[in-house]
Amino acid sequence: MADDTTLSSADVAKLLQDPNSENRAAAAEKVASTFSGSSLSENERAIAEDIFRAMLKDAAVRVREALSDSLKDNPSVPHDVAAALAKDVETVAMPMIESSSVLTDEDLVEIVSTRSAEVQKAVAGRSDVSERVADALVDSDNEDVVATLVGNSGARMHEGTFDRVLDRFGDSEKVNSPLAHRSDLPVGVSERLVTMVSEQLRDHIMTHHEISPTTASDLLLESREKATVSLVEGGSQRTVQQLVDQLSDNGRLTPTLMLRALCMGDATFFEVALAKKANIPVINAYKLVHDGGDLGLKRLFEATDMPPQFLNMARAALDVSSEMIETGGDDRETYKKLMIERVLTQVEDEVDTENLDYLIGKLGATTAQTGAAVA
């Protein structure tokens, strides 16, 4: 041999016949190393490919392992060689299955349908997984495989595939946790997922994924009410500022969310959110809201690009909050019911159908809860 990295024709002939499998494995690595360069002539490349095909038939697994590991990242490997290695025994196949870009969707779908769960997980973890391959992986009905798939940011999935994942593994935290942390969840999938996951994951979905204003409002209110209970009971909970910061950082701090929180009695969230949007201290926002008269709130709305049609509803909610803060007591549901009734009465001529319908719906819900409690 001329050196440690190149291989002459004599070397190849000798090593292919060498009874020592370690020497043949070394030959496989050297041929593969030479093949990865750009200096080979067309004839030399053809010879190298023939050597690969000869090594595919080597009885020693160690030789085929060396060949697979050496060729796994080479995009110029002939398809028949890559496919043969990927269909070999597991230790030979894994490097190619995990890494080779030469394998087609047809290859990968066949592998998923015929190989073990460990091999399926290797396919699910590839840097690029097509929608077709993702569908085949979900069809495996294996929780670990699907968890690997949904946790892979390089895996592309149709909305219908996400729905099938929830249909089959909706109660699996192993699947739901990485699913909730994906950046590409469709709105409908996000809204289904929030009903199936832990409180921590629900908070993540609310602050990181696109969901309808109604769902976002309900999640926010539930999160804030649980925070209040937790603090009363001596537990620890992230602050309103932390929640507002996270919503803002992820583009989820919407005017609709802020208004609905205020109308449900959460003036603190509204004030902190306005301060965040205006980039001013919370105390300044508080003074403008409560001490600035009508002009203070109007100025804040203008500075934060809040919709002008929300202004009168916000004023009504703030007035009611100020009047009721000392008489609301600890009965949160009664407080919310009175707040919503007063706000709806004061803005009944306003045209803000979406938010009015939401508040009417919440009023119906609190009334029903109160009736059930009395019964």
Side-chain angles (χ1 to χ4, degrees):
M1 273 176 247
D3 57 45
D4 288 337
T5 60
T6 61
L7 206 63
S8 68
S9 298
D11 291 331
V12 172
K14 179 181 177 180
L15 288 172
L16 286 177
Q17 300 300 320
D18 195 314
N20 187 312
S21 62
E22 287 301 322
N23 289 342
R24 299 200 306 278
E29 293 170 354
K30 287 191 176 183
V31 177
S33 175
T34 301
F35 189 74
S36 65
S38 58
S39 59
L40 291 182
S41 67
E42 186 174 336
N43 185 56
E44 289 171 329
R45 186 168 292 275
I47 292 173
E49 292 176 0
D50 287 341
I51 294 170
F52 296 153
R53 294 185 179 101
M55 288 180 168
L56 290 175
K57 302 173 184 177
D58 198 302
V61 172
R62 175 69 185 90
V63 174
R64 305 198 306 278
E65 288 174 348
L67 186 64
S68 180
D69 194 57
S70 299
L71 294 178
K72 63 183 181 182
D73 296 318
N74 193 323
S76 300
V77 175
H79 175 261
D80 64 304
V81 173
L85 289 168
K87 294 174 184 178
D88 207 322
V89 297
E90 202 160 293
T91 56
V92 175
M94 278 298 206
M96 298 301 291
I97 291 172
E98 291 172 344
S99 304
S100 179
S101 62
V102 179
L103 298 178
T104 65
D105 280 357
E106 288 75 14
D107 296 325
L108 295 170
V109 168
E110 180 182 352
I111 288 168
V112 169
S113 65
T114 58
R115 304 297 292 265
S116 69
E118 284 304 308
V119 174
Q120 292 170 345
K121 283 175 63 177
V123 174
R126 284 169 60 90
S127 61
D128 180 48
V129 179
S130 72
E131 291 90 344
R132 179 181 174 188
V133 175
D135 282 338
L137 288 163
V138 174
D139 286 339
S140 73
D141 269 331
N142 184 290
E143 182 180 24
D144 290 333
V145 171
V146 174
T148 301
L149 173 68
V150 299
N152 179 4
S153 61
R156 304 186 302 279
M157 300 170 66
H158 295 297
E159 182 167 356
T161 307
F162 283 117
D163 283 329
R164 288 199 295 126
V165 169
L166 291 181
D167 289 342
R168 299 180 187 190
F169 301 101
D171 58 352
S172 168
E173 186 174 351
K174 184 182 292 187
V175 173
N176 285 340
S177 181
L179 185 60
H181 286 86
R182 288 186 66 92
S183 61
D184 59 347
L185 287 184
V187 176
V189 174
S190 297
E191 295 191 339
R192 282 192 66 189
L193 189 57
V194 296
T195 66
M196 303 175 174
V197 297
S198 66
E199 182 179 344
Q200 182 179 5
L201 287 179
R202 292 183 70 181
D203 285 352
H204 179 87
I205 294 170
M206 176 179 70
T207 55
H208 288 75
H209 291 292
E210 184 179 354
I211 52 180
S212 72
T214 295
T215 300
S217 300
D218 288 344
L219 287 175
L220 169 66
L221 295 170
E222 181 177 331
S223 172
R224 293 285 290 119
E225 287 174 357
K226 286 183 178 178
T228 301
V229 171
S230 176
L231 290 171
V232 168
E233 294 176 349
S236 61
Q237 183 74 24
R238 62 181 177 176
T239 66
V240 178
Q241 185 68 64
Q242 289 173 319
L243 176 59
V244 166
D245 287 345
Q246 193 170 15
L247 287 165
S248 177
D249 290 345
N250 292 283
R252 310 297 176 199
L253 190 61
T254 65
T256 293
L257 192 64
M258 294 164 59
L259 179 66
R260 290 179 178 180
L262 174 62
C263 290
M264 294 295 286
D266 199 339
T268 300
F269 178 88
F270 182 73
E271 293 154 7
V272 174
L274 281 176
K276 179 71 177 182
K277 282 186 168 291
N279 196 27
I280 60 176
V282 175
I283 187 62
N284 291 7
Y286 178 89
K287 290 178 179 179
L288 285 169
V289 168
H290 295 281
D291 302 332
D294 288 344
L295 287 180
L297 185 60
K298 186 173 185 294
R299 285 171 55 198
L300 266 180
F301 263 54
E302 292 170 349
T304 57
D305 292 324
M306 289 284 286
Q309 64 268 30
F310 287 5
L311 182 58
N312 285 341
M313 187 177 288
R315 282 174 173 158
L318 287 166
D319 288 344
V320 173
S321 179
S322 297
E323 293 173 18
M324 294 172 56
I325 195 68
E326 294 181 0
T327 59
D330 295 328
D331 189 341
R332 185 70 174 167
E333 289 303 322
T334 299
Y335 180 91
K336 286 195 300 184
K337 181 175 181 293
L338 292 173
M339 166 69 88
I340 295 169
E341 287 176 340
R342 292 284 297 277
V343 170
L344 290 175
T345 299
Q346 294 190 41
V347 297
E348 59 184 357
D349 295 328
E350 293 290 320
V351 181
D352 179 19
T353 305
E354 182 184 4
N355 284 312
L356 288 176
D357 285 348
Y358 177 78
L359 294 180
I360 291 170
K362 299 306 288 186
L363 176 58
T366 56
T367 301
Q369 289 172 3
T370 301
V374 172

